[in-house]
Amino acid sequence: MESPPTDFIRQRIQSDLAEQRLSQGVITRFPPEPNGYLHIGHAKSICLNFGVAEQFGGKTYLRFDDTNPLKESDEYVDAIKADVKWLGFEWTEVTHASDYFEEIYNYAVELIKADKAFVCSLDAEAMRSTRGSLTEPGQDSPYRGRSVDENLDLFQRMRNGEFAEGEHVLRLKIDMASPNINMRDPVIYRIRHVAHQRTGDAWCIYPMYDFTHCICDALEGISHSLCTLEFEDHRPLYDWVLDNINLNYHPPQIEFSRLGLEYTVMSKRILNRLVDESLVDGWDDPRMPTIAGLRRRGVTPAAIRDFCSRIGVTKQDNTVEMNLLEFCVRKDMEDSAPRGMGVLQPLKVVLTNFPEDQSIELQGPWHAQNESLGQRTLPFGRELYIERADFELEPPKKYKRLSPGEMVRLRYAFIIRCDEVIFDDNGDVAQLNCSYFEDSRSGQDTSGLKPKGVIHWVDAAAGVPVQVRDYQRLFKVPNPGSDTLLADINPDSVVHLNAVVEPAIMQHDSPRFQFERQGYFCKDAALPDVFNKTVSLREGF
């Protein structure tokens, strides 16, 4: 049994437990905003938050940060739930930031009464111009001196819907000269005359993430608020809010490195753009780094969990090579995926000495090293398909496949010899006429022949035509940029192939297969007779 992973977060939890600082136990949360589909970067956070709670006998909330109704929808909520379950995790409870809107509003009122928040009437541009820079302090808003009573009145009227969007915001009163720009009187409420997917028209003011998140953590008794590193500069604001409202619990925020993956993007904004501009075929396009896309491509939950475990939890942001993810996929499917034969670019072979209108049934294991997967029947007749790449008119030295006058063994079948090459009108190879050796049947070979190699094949009459989608990198460069997005996209990121597979593959319950000598493929969940290439058999880039 593998020992549980250890990292600085787990060490912190072990220390807190040893010091008896966690009377409520270990409680974590995964708090996505329902404004898009989850991607593999989120998978790292899911594995961490659910994993540490599971390891230490705690619990995890799935909390939806639904504070911006302009971009959120139930479609994304449902997709996020499906992804978390598919990855193999169970939440203790589903909550929403909107569950706490009334409490959050009351804490804002409390801050106004303490003269720690004020209604600001600067427009967005004026607010930006007074915020300062990394080297220069900001300037106080001219509305910072409003009285408590005036602020309370304006804030109540904001809630009542008396003002237009952008007319007023509620800001904290902290320090416009703070070296941390997040502490320069940040906005904590804005007006949005938009119906919310859960609360309808009950609210027209919505709290900002930095104000909402810490309060929700405290209300839910989160023991460790685990965030990615971009929130490190927000931690002083997280602490300030909880230190200045009447809440008797203050969770610690702990940051860890986010996941970067080569040849793709993790920004929801850019992923949205790829979908909206039809640069991909939706959120579940198998080229996307979304969990839905990876699932449709055939990647397994176990492979993603293994990948997240291998990259670990650190304080240093880094970009991981795509080859590591592909290694984890191969490792997971190597022993469990049935192995069948699929010819991706068919070349017809006619066995001129095999009886016409006759077929025999051969047997082959679904997995030579995993007998529990059983056997399948392989129809074998006069006409077959082999891979076009398995024939060469003028083979190089040490070539071990088929060429004029040479022999190969057909996997689980017979030895054949190429006797004649038929060309089409363009001069391309259209058909091979071959002889087969009846006494060379696999497992019963008495021919004494020594073919150069072994190739796969599919019976032409029984084989099933399918479309194979051979996916490559979505981007041509390891680190695509938002400003060069269109130039960085790989125009050949998917190749459509008219393939033929053995009939047993179409009759099998498994969606995932190794096509022998080709790679791992998955039946498309939405499109009949389509197989998506999951990964090659070996590192191919």
Side-chain angles (χ1 to χ4, degrees), residues 37-38 75 83 275 280-298 469 471 524-527 532:
Y37 281 61
L38 299 182
E75 174 196 352
D83 287 346
V275 174
V280 294
D281 298 325
W283 285 99
D284 66 345
D285 186 307
R287 293 167 293 179
M288 289 278 273
T290 56
I291 295 174
L294 293 167
R295 177 168 60 241
R296 189 172 176 188
R297 185 166 179 149
R469 297 183 177 181
Y471 291 101
D524 192 283
L527 300 171
N532 298 318

Side-chain angles (χ1 to χ4, degrees), residues 408-459:
V408 294
R409 174 173 292 283
L410 300 177
R411 181 84 155 142
Y412 306 122
F414 300 89
I415 295 171
I416 65 171
R417 182 187 64 223
C418 178
D419 301 324
E420 183 183 12
V421 181
I422 309 298
F423 298 90
D424 62 18
D425 294 340
N426 297 319
D428 297 322
V429 176
Q431 178 179 307
L432 305 179
N433 290 339
C434 299
S435 302
Y436 94 108
F437 297 89
E438 188 176 1
D439 57 353
S440 66
R441 182 167 176 166
S442 289
Q444 305 171 19
D445 188 352
T446 59
S447 69
L449 299 173
K450 297 187 182 301
K452 285 190 171 183
V454 180
I455 63 173
H456 63 279
W457 56 278
V458 172
D459 182 80

Side-chain angles (χ1 to χ4, degrees), residues 15-301:
S15 173
D16 288 344
L17 287 168
E19 297 294 328
Q20 298 185 333
R21 289 193 288 263
L22 304 177
S23 59
Q24 81 278 38
V26 176
I27 304 176
T28 61
R29 81 289 170 270
F30 174 60
E33 182 180 0
N35 64 347
Y37 281 61
L38 299 182
H39 53 63
I40 195 166
H42 295 110
K44 177 179 177 179
S45 180
I46 292 169
C47 290
L48 177 61
N49 278 288
F50 283 88
V52 297
E54 191 175 279
Q55 181 179 339
F56 294 102
K59 56 187 181 181
T60 302
Y61 289 100
L62 174 59
R63 183 204 306 149
F64 290 98
D65 172 39
D66 55 349
T67 58
N68 186 0
L70 284 173
K71 297 181 179 180
E72 297 158 3
S73 75
D74 288 334
E75 174 196 352
Y76 298 136
V77 169
D78 293 340
I80 289 168
K81 288 180 179 178
D83 287 346
V84 173
K85 281 190 174 181
W86 179 77
L87 281 172
F89 297 104
E90 291 288 337
W91 50 81
T92 304
E93 187 178 342
V94 174
T95 60
H96 303 77
S98 54
D99 296 338
Y100 310 108
F101 275 176
E102 193 66 44
E103 290 98 322
I104 295 167
Y105 175 84
N106 289 334
Y107 286 121
V109 170
E110 180 185 319
L111 287 166
I112 294 172
K113 289 179 177 178
D115 200 22
K116 294 178 179 179
F118 68 100
V119 174
C120 182
S121 306
L122 291 174
D123 61 32
E125 182 55 41
M127 203 176 303
R128 271 192 296 271
S129 68
T130 59
R131 199 179 184 204
S133 66
L134 292 174
T135 56
E136 295 179 350
Q139 304 167 28
D140 284 355
S141 165
Y143 303 99
R144 202 175 196 265
R146 277 176 166 156
S147 69
V148 169
D149 288 342
E150 185 180 4
N151 284 319
L152 288 171
D153 175 64
L154 286 169
F155 192 48
Q156 179 64 55
R157 291 167 64 192
M158 285 169 62
R159 176 175 181 170
N160 293 344
E162 295 183 27
F163 303 115
E165 292 189 14
E167 195 170 348
H168 302 293
V169 295
L170 184 67
R171 298 174 68 178
L172 294 179
K173 192 181 291 189
I174 306 180
D175 180 8
M176 290 301 292
S178 172
N180 186 336
I181 293 180
N182 295 298
M183 302 296 283
R184 294 181 186 177
D185 293 5
V187 173
I188 60 169
Y189 264 92
R190 76 288 211 200
I191 299 169
R192 287 278 189 274
H193 291 290
V194 180
H196 189 279
Q197 71 268 19
R198 294 190 71 246
T199 61
D201 294 320
W203 294 87
C204 62
I205 56 171
Y206 293 97
M208 302 294 287
Y209 175 84
D210 279 335
F211 187 61
T212 305
H213 185 66
C214 53
I215 293 174
C216 291
D217 281 351
L219 291 172
E220 292 178 352
I222 302 303
S223 64
H224 301 84
S225 179
L226 308 179
C227 303
T228 46
L229 276 177
E230 70 264 33
F231 292 102
E232 187 172 29
D233 288 342
H234 296 246
R235 193 195 323 150
L237 179 54
Y238 182 102
D239 293 336
W240 189 96
V241 171
L242 293 182
D243 288 342
N244 284 276
I245 60 176
N246 187 26
L247 251 172
N248 295 322
Y249 181 64
H250 188 148
Q253 176 176 302
I254 307 171
E255 303 86 18
F256 61 94
S257 60
R258 64 192 306 177
L259 170 63
L261 190 63
E262 285 186 341
Y263 294 98
T264 190
V265 291
M266 297 292 179
S267 161
K268 268 192 188 176
R269 179 179 59 82
I270 297 178
L271 293 175
N272 261 301
R273 182 181 169 194
L274 291 173
V275 174
D276 291 345
E277 296 183 17
S278 299
L279 299 171
V280 294
D281 298 325
W283 285 99
D284 66 345
D285 186 307
R287 293 167 293 179
M288 289 278 273
T290 56
I291 295 174
L294 293 167
R295 177 168 60 241
R296 189 172 176 188
R297 185 166 179 149
V299 175
T300 60

Side-chain angles (χ1 to χ4, degrees), residues 267-422:
S267 161
K268 268 192 188 176
R269 179 179 59 82
I270 297 178
L271 293 175
N272 261 301
R273 182 181 169 194
L274 291 173
V275 174
D276 291 345
E277 296 183 17
S278 299
L279 299 171
V280 294
D281 298 325
W283 285 99
D284 66 345
D285 186 307
R287 293 167 293 179
M288 289 278 273
T290 56
I291 295 174
L294 293 167
R295 177 168 60 241
R296 189 172 176 188
R297 185 166 179 149
V299 175
T300 60
I304 294 177
R305 293 195 303 268
D306 183 29
F307 173 70
C308 292
S309 175
R310 287 173 185 273
I311 59 178
V313 179
T314 68
K315 278 281 192 180
Q316 184 68 43
D317 273 342
N318 61 334
T319 300
V320 181
E321 291 185 1
M322 183 72 79
N323 289 329
L324 177 58
L325 175 60
E326 293 174 346
F327 167 81
C328 294
V329 175
R330 291 188 198 96
K331 178 175 174 291
D332 182 55
M333 292 200 284
E334 183 178 13
D335 296 329
S336 60
R339 298 182 178 184
M341 293 191 287
V343 175
L344 305 189
Q345 295 179 296
L347 173 61
K348 180 174 278 191
V349 168
V350 177
L351 303 178
T352 55
N353 63 335
F354 192 93
E356 294 188 35
D357 302 322
Q358 183 175 326
S359 177
I360 60 176
E361 290 187 346
L362 304 174
Q363 293 291 313
W366 276 117
H367 197 303
Q369 287 79 45
N370 186 353
E371 293 182 0
S372 66
L373 293 180
Q375 300 267 329
R376 88 276 196 188
T377 298
L378 295 164
F380 183 90
R382 179 182 173 89
E383 295 187 356
L384 312 170
Y385 289 117
I386 66 168
E387 201 68 51
R388 188 166 291 274
D390 282 340
F391 175 78
E392 285 285 350
L393 272 173
E394 298 178 4
K397 287 183 179 180
K398 299 183 179 181
Y399 186 71
K400 293 185 178 182
R401 287 169 281 175
L402 196 59
S403 59
E406 297 294 342
M407 295 183 293
V408 294
R409 174 173 292 283
L410 300 177
R411 181 84 155 142
Y412 306 122
F414 300 89
I415 295 171
I416 65 171
R417 182 187 64 223
C418 178
D419 301 324
E420 183 183 12
V421 181
I422 309 298

